Amino acid sequence: MPSPIPSTSIPAREEWEGNVCVLTYDALDVDAITRSVGDDRAGANVVFVGTTRNSFRGKVVARLEYQAYSKLAIRTMTEIVIRQLAAGDSTSHTAASTIISCAVHHRLGTVPVGEASIVIAVSSPHRKEAFVACEQILEEVKEKAPIWKREYYDGEDEETAEWKANYS
């Protein structure tokens, strides 16, 4: 049975100028998230979908559970996206090569095997900037946002499930 919802791990949303960061207990709609960054100026829409896999280090994973300090996590995610929007790709030689729009959605609560736990979508006039921004956003969210996961393995009871930082 999943743990009760802690009072700090609540849904949150920050939206501005076509960009969005979301923490939610709802299943992530990859198509809707991808459409949310669509723009006629975009030559590239890059999407990363992180899913719960069925094994980890030789153990069978039953499910993952995510908790967050939502107020700080949504602020951290927003700051990460704002930095990416401002930076673009430093290797670009044209002013038009910028990030147009970003969406970062992260699940809270129980995420069964095969379901998405994080979706990051980025649109840009060019693919390189979109790929770079998407990866940088992912790595920074995993490193800096106060989001934790608990791994539940087959054959183990509730007491042996492990809480881990979101970067493993």
Side-chain angles (χ1 to χ4, degrees):
M1 200 66 168
S3 302
I5 297 170
S7 60
T8 59
S9 193
I10 58 173
R13 180 181 193 95
E14 185 68 38
E15 200 164 350
W16 72 102
E17 300 173 1
N19 304 288
V20 66
C21 293
V22 176
L23 293 169
T24 182
Y25 283 90
D26 298 329
L28 301 180
D29 183 340
V30 177
D31 291 335
I33 295 166
T34 303
R35 284 192 306 274
S36 77
V37 300
D39 189 290
D40 288 344
R41 298 171 294 164
N45 292 302
V46 172
V47 180
F48 172 80
V49 181
T51 57
T52 300
R53 61 181 174 261
N54 66 357
S55 64
F56 183 72
R57 295 188 179 164
K59 294 182 179 181
V60 176
V61 174
R63 67 184 188 280
L64 296 179
E65 178 184 324
Y66 289 91
Q67 289 186 10
Y69 177 34
S70 296
K71 188 174 183 177
L72 182 56
I74 203 74
R75 184 171 58 209
T76 302
M77 291 163 57
T78 300
E79 289 169 356
I80 290 166
V81 169
I82 288 170
R83 277 195 305 276
Q84 282 303 309
L85 291 167
D89 178 15
S90 61
T91 64
S92 174
H93 299 292
T94 65
S97 297
T98 60
I99 304 306
I100 296 170
S101 184
C102 296
V104 181
H105 292 243
H106 201 299
R107 282 280 293 273
L108 298 173
T110 301
V111 182
V113 170
E115 289 192 18
S117 56
I118 187 169
V119 176
I120 300 169
V122 177
S123 64
S124 175
H126 303 283
R127 69 183 175 273
K128 183 175 182 179
E129 290 84 3
F131 275 114
V132 168
C134 191
E135 183 175 26
Q136 287 179 345
I137 290 168
L138 173 64
E139 296 304 328
E140 282 194 57
V141 166
K142 291 175 68 78
E143 179 184 334
K144 297 176 181 175
I147 301 169
W148 304 272
K149 68 180 174 183
R150 190 172 188 187
E151 296 180 348
Y152 291 86
Y153 303 108
D154 279 350
E156 294 184 359
D157 62 22
E158 196 80 10
E159 298 302 315
T160 58
E162 298 178 43
W163 281 107
K164 297 182 177 184
N166 197 18
Y167 50 80
S168 63

